[in-house]
Amino acid sequence: MVQPSKALHKVALERLKERGVSLEEIAELVYDLQQPYIADVTHEICLENVRSVIKKREVQNAILTGIELDVLCEQGKLSSPLQEIIEEDEGLYGIDEILALSIVNVYGSIGFTNYGYLDKTKPKLISKLDNHEDKEHTHTFLDDIVGAIAAAAASRLAHDNPGISDIMQ
Ligand code: MG
């Protein structure tokens, strides 16, 4: 029998892939965040940290919950007014960010700074997901989840490089 925690990890990875998110693209966000601070950081190291973040149960729970809500919304299956709020990615809703913070939380305070930065600047994959022109897809939760995974992976990396944490705060 498959261990429940192993099953959860596998499903979380599958869901991200189904929603068009590659771990390499998340790793690229991590690379861009950390490269100014850690000169010898590589894409492989970033990818490794992304993989480690997704092994955490809290992170898997957030991925599954957020993606489920995005998908149900795409299918028009939520009740009003939640259906319209998530569909329109209403600015004052804020629960997408709160859910993502449960990911950032896992690695402490540096994660919050990185998450805020990604949420504000929306680089690369995040802006692709945050594209409101695309009426077919809802990524209200996914863009925040991706930003949070990248922020958490960047924090994990910083913790592995003593001295960097101080610079980044
Ligand atoms: Mg959002």
Side-chain angles (χ1 to χ4, degrees), residues 89 96-97 115 119 122 130 139-145:
D89 198 3
D96 41 348
E97 283 94 2
Y115 176 70
D119 188 39
K122 303 196 188 303
D130 191 52
H139 293 140
T140 296
F141 283 88
L142 189 57
D143 61 343
D144 298 291
I145 286 170

Side-chain angles (χ1 to χ4, degrees), residues 73-146:
C73 182
E74 263 175 32
Q75 298 169 346
K77 287 185 176 161
L78 298 173
S79 309
S80 186
L82 193 60
Q83 173 68 33
E84 293 77 25
I85 291 171
I86 297 181
E87 203 170 277
E88 286 155 29
D89 198 3
E90 213 176 83
L92 290 176
Y93 176 57
I95 307 299
D96 41 348
E97 283 94 2
I98 299 291
L99 181 76
L101 286 179
S102 68
I103 295 176
V104 181
N105 249 331
V106 177
Y107 293 99
S109 63
I110 313 167
F112 289 97
T113 315
N114 283 328
Y115 176 70
Y117 175 78
L118 291 173
D119 188 39
K120 206 170 169 187
T121 58
K122 303 196 188 303
K124 298 181 179 177
L125 174 60
I126 299 181
S127 71
K128 203 168 91 187
L129 293 172
D130 191 52
N131 172 18
H132 294 154
E133 306 298 300
D134 174 7
K135 298 287 175 212
E136 232 176 276
H137 293 102
T138 303
H139 293 140
T140 296
F141 283 88
L142 189 57
D143 61 343
D144 298 291
I145 286 170
V146 163

Side-chain angles (χ1 to χ4, degrees), residues 29-42 46 157:
L29 299 170
V30 180
Y31 181 86
D32 292 346
L33 280 173
Q34 293 304 71
Q35 202 275 328
Y37 306 101
I38 310 169
D40 57 353
V41 71
T42 63
C46 293
L157 218 138

